[in-house]
């Protein structure tokens, strides 16, 4: 089984490459710029054709949530038009596409975890561009799995876990928002879920449950609770630690509005694919354990 994943420098692509190591019969080819540039749709098909995939994983995205408010055209070019071209290329090659989306397609006003049938209502450009991408993917390739996930972190790239560790190396206290709730999700777990779904697609040529799914870490917390567990884990590994001070969203204004409730129910994915993410606390510990020695990193134990 050969997977081509877009977004070579991204957390999911790096995690997929990592997860595929040592798995017999699984190969992951990460494809990215300049060969494949979602802002240049004419590059997409040739790059994916050259990868000779059995399944395409559409993970590349424009993810600068605040900057997107000023770069709407670019966000939609990458997240909507570009994502649609990836799905179209997969359809032309005769293979399914697994596309990554986001909790930001919701407005966060629901009391409880969002399910796939809940109404979408993005609060900003980023969420709107990702929702448009979902629609473009579904229209371009009927053999699609759209995975909405949330609060993604990993040992790779830039993310909240690594930001907290970097800040803790320089200060004694970190102020973190305490009134936004969601499911921290390790990209390592996302990669495992993708490989699990891909294996089912490879084994079941008549798979009929192409659809939208939620796939996020088990359990929920707020950003400050997330930060506390990161830093407690860091201290246990002998790394940097700082006190976390709770603040309100209004104390930390941003250009783009964030949903106050990003909780996602992953029950549908678990029922169809027989796979469920570990609890987010355990996955944080695994991700931190992967980090190399360094001023803002944790030694591998």
């Amino acid at each position: 089984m050969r997977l081509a994943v877009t977004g070579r420098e991204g957390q999911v692509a790096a995690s997929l490459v990592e997860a595929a190591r040592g798995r017999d019969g699984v190969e992951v080819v990460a494809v990215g710029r300049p060969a494949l540039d979602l802002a240049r749709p004419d590059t997409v098909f040739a790059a994916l054709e050259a990868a000779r995939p059995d399944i395409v994983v559409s993970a590349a995205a424009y993810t600068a949530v605040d900057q997107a408010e000023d770069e709407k055209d670019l966000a939609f070019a990458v997240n909507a038009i570009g994502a649609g071209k990836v799905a179209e290329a997969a359809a032309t090659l005769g293979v399914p596409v697994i596309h990554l989306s986001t909790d930001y397609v919701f407005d966060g006003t629901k009391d409880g975890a969002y399910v796939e049938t809940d109404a979408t209502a993005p609060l900003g450009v980023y969420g709107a561009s990702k929702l448009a991408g979902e629609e473009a993917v579904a229209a371009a390739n009927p053999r699609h799995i759209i995975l909405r996930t949330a609060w993604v972190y990993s040992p790779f790239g830039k993310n909240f876990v690594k930001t907290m560790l970097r800040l803790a190396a320089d200060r004694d206290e970190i102020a973190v928002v305490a009134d936004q709730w969601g499911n921290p999700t390790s990209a390592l777990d996302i990669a495992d879920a993708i490989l699990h779904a891909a294996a089912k697609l490879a084994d079941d040529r008549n798979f009929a449950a192409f659809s939208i799914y939620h796939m996020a870490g088990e359990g929920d917390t707020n950003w400050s609770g997330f930060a506390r567990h990161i830093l407690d884990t860091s201290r246990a590994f002998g790394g940097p630690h700082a006190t976390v001070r709770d603040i309100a969203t209004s104390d930390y204004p941003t250009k783009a509005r964030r949903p106050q409730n990003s909780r996602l129910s992953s029950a549908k994915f678990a029922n169809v694919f027989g796979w469920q993410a570990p609890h987010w606390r355990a996955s944080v510990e695994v991700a931190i354990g992967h980090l190399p020695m360094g001023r803002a990193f944790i030694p591998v134990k």
Side-chain angles (χ1 to χ4, degrees), residues 156-255:
F156 314 109
K158 296 179 180 179
N159 55 72
F160 185 77
V161 167
K162 293 172 78 172
T163 296
M164 290 299 103
L165 297 176
R166 175 176 54 80
L167 292 176
D170 292 327
R171 52 182 86 169
D172 296 326
E173 182 181 85
I174 306 171
V176 185
V177 168
D179 57 359
Q180 295 174 23
W181 291 77
N183 311 93
T185 309
S186 170
L188 296 173
D189 292 336
I190 295 172
D192 198 29
I194 288 171
L195 291 177
H196 197 90
K200 186 172 181 66
L201 295 182
D203 291 341
D204 183 1
R205 298 298 178 183
N206 297 313
F207 183 77
F210 290 106
S211 184
I212 294 175
Y213 296 88
H214 293 171
M215 208 305 293
E218 181 68 14
D220 58 56
T221 188
N222 55 27
W223 285 108
S224 64
F226 188 11
R228 284 190 179 89
H229 187 61
I230 292 164
L231 298 177
D232 287 347
T233 301
S234 171
R235 180 166 56 186
F237 276 85
H241 185 267
T243 299
V244 175
R245 176 168 56 87
D246 292 357
I247 62 171
T249 297
S250 57
D251 297 324
Y252 188 73
T254 55
K255 182 163 288 191

Side-chain angles (χ1 to χ4, degrees), residues 38 55-56 69 107 110 146 196 234 273:
L38 296 192
I55 296 171
V56 170
E69 297 298 308
D107 63 11
K110 181 178 179 177
I146 294 169
H196 197 90
S234 171
F273 294 101

Side-chain angles (χ1 to χ4, degrees), residues 67-97:
Q67 197 171 326
E69 297 298 308
D70 296 322
E71 295 183 341
K72 181 177 180 179
D73 289 348
L74 179 58
F76 271 83
V78 173
N79 291 344
I81 298 170
K85 286 294 182 183
V86 170
E88 179 184 296
T92 302
L93 294 169
V95 301
V97 61

